[in-house]
Amino acid sequence: RVPVSPTMIAATSDESSWHASMAFGAGIPVEIYWYGVGLSFNCEDNGDGMQIISICPTPVDDTTTDIFATYWVSEDLDYDERLAAAKRMLPDDVAIWAHQRYLDRPAPSPSETEEFTHLREWARGFYPPAQPDLRSVIL
């Protein structure tokens, strides 16, 4: 239910981290930080206070990942309203995460293609190379 699709403003990475700034319309950009593929922080200053979301995915097997998320809302202006909004968004996030499937060639929006391709290339560095399926090798 995000009213505006995000636009990637900039992204940088090194061996262990990836950082991006994303804009949702004319608002203040959301800062996203990934440390490895198991810890991320999304930081947003909406003018009334800070909201930080930490998402920690843990692969369980080849088809399942457990996700632990924590939401922080600073105790500034409109705290109760912003906390209630974060709580309202959580079920939508859970429904999205529960139905996500890895696609080798996803179809991101044009504004996301370049940097999310970069994010995927960066993330591949944390996984071992794929092993050939020896059952299909004919001797």
Side-chain angles (χ1 to χ4, degrees):
R1 297 182 197 164
V2 176
V4 179
S5 293
T7 301
M8 189 77 69
I9 297 171
T12 60
S13 65
D14 59 28
E15 287 182 357
S16 61
S17 64
W18 184 82
H19 168 246
S21 295
M22 295 181 68
F24 289 85
I28 298 170
V30 174
E31 302 296 324
I32 302 170
Y33 300 89
W34 275 97
Y35 298 96
V37 292
L39 177 62
S40 78
F41 293 96
N42 301 354
C43 306
E44 177 182 1
D45 179 354
N46 60 15
D48 291 338
M50 295 293 294
Q51 174 175 301
I52 301 172
I53 303 169
S54 172
I55 302 172
C56 305
T58 303
V60 175
D61 58 36
D62 288 346
T63 62
T64 306
T65 298
D66 284 342
I67 298 178
F68 175 81
T70 302
Y71 289 67
W72 289 277
V73 177
S74 62
E75 294 181 355
D76 298 334
L77 300 173
D78 299 324
Y79 169 77
D80 292 331
E81 181 180 319
R82 291 183 304 109
L83 181 60
K87 288 179 179 180
R88 282 192 305 272
M89 289 187 304
L90 183 58
D92 290 341
D93 288 345
V94 170
I96 290 168
W97 297 332
H99 294 92
Q100 281 186 332
R101 300 291 179 261
Y102 180 82
L103 299 174
D104 284 330
R105 296 180 175 260
S109 70
S111 67
E112 298 175 328
T113 300
E114 181 179 345
E115 291 304 337
F116 277 108
T117 299
H118 177 237
L119 172 62
R120 283 175 156 241
E121 289 169 358
W122 170 81
R124 279 189 197 103
F126 294 95
Y127 293 92
Q131 299 297 316
D133 184 358
L134 297 179
R135 295 173 294 178
S136 63
V137 176
I138 300 175
L139 300 176

